[in-house]
Amino acid sequence: MSLRLLVDAPEFLEAVARDVRGAERTAYVQAMTFEGDAAGLAVAGLIRECPAPDRRVLIDAYTRHVLSDRLRWLPASLVSPGMWREARATRRMIAGLRGDGVPVRFVNPAGTLFRRFPARNHKKLVALDGRVAYLGGINFSDHNFAWHDLMLRIEDPLAAGFLEQDFLATWQATDRARSLRLPGLAIHALDGRSNETVFDEILDLVAQAREQVFLECPYVTDPFSRELQRAARRGVRVSVVIPERHNFPLLRRALAHAAARCPLELRLFPGRMTHMKALLVDRRYLVLGSANFDVWSDRSQQEYVSVVTEPGMVADFERRVVEPDLACSRPCPRPDAAEDARGVEARVAGLALLASLGARARGGP
């Protein structure tokens, strides 16, 4: 097995382009966001030029409703010429793929009155020839490519075959909960209904931490924030890096209030959004994938979660992510004393309820 961390979109695009151009049999690509801008067109061009006879693309229906990180149906978006241009460009991109013989399917419709909107297929995947696969947090759009993020390249027939079969199940509108455990790597495909079973294992890692926990993720809520606070209170060094320029400021404020009540070190990544989803426990267990550490990933979204224990990969993550991101980030200021912490947390709890309702609308527990 060969594993490689790819930090940020340019590194990912260079590696995946080389593999896509060499694919001989299958090329399966999946994302939640796939937009008709420069980044999306670059990925679409790779797929169209790929020599593999079996090429397919899965896109979550999110892309039909959200472009450039903005809901298309808000009043400001409805009167934005740029939004309408991007929507047309995205439709043309998809039509071009289909015209070149690449089937494209949308999954997880939002449902009447958006009642299923919390239940997204949040996976990001490139699987090639049952030999090599990529998973992580990078979607295919300009704003996603500009964010700080991470992908994992896996070259192994068992792992790539596992992910390929998961893609094919989704292609047939079947959401599966499956796990593959290999030496140095475990991969979990989450179905959006029974996710808590896998996340309980992740929470147990934090609960059993003895020395240090590092988390970099923009979206952190219960049950993960609660377990991080418990670890900090019992003397574990807990460092959490979130973006200074957050696209969901409510979650940043809620986490700041939580951090103010315990010795958890909350830090702000400067300059651009960090979209990374990575947890390192005691320098032994590296958890990464498409899943955030929030209630939506925990309860309602289809995700990929991998747990890497191969020492070289863990050391590489420390060198390329932990050390530089702690060094460049700054401590998060204490929250405004005038702000009602309980009110902020109640709003987050309301969003958590929507996640549960979205899962139930799709047939979850």
Side-chain angles (χ1 to χ4, degrees), residues 276-317:
M276 197 167 290
K277 299 101 166 53
L279 170 72
L280 181 61
V281 178
D282 283 343
R283 306 179 70 181
R284 293 178 59 197
Y285 302 99
L286 173 59
V287 182
L288 53 86
S290 67
N292 294 298
F293 296 86
D294 64 16
V295 66
W296 296 276
S297 290
D298 185 51
R299 295 186 186 174
S300 64
Q301 296 184 156
Q302 292 123 46
E303 302 278 11
Y304 288 130
V305 175
S306 64
V307 181
V308 180
T309 53
E310 198 280 316
M313 287 293 296
V314 172
D316 192 43
F317 177 78

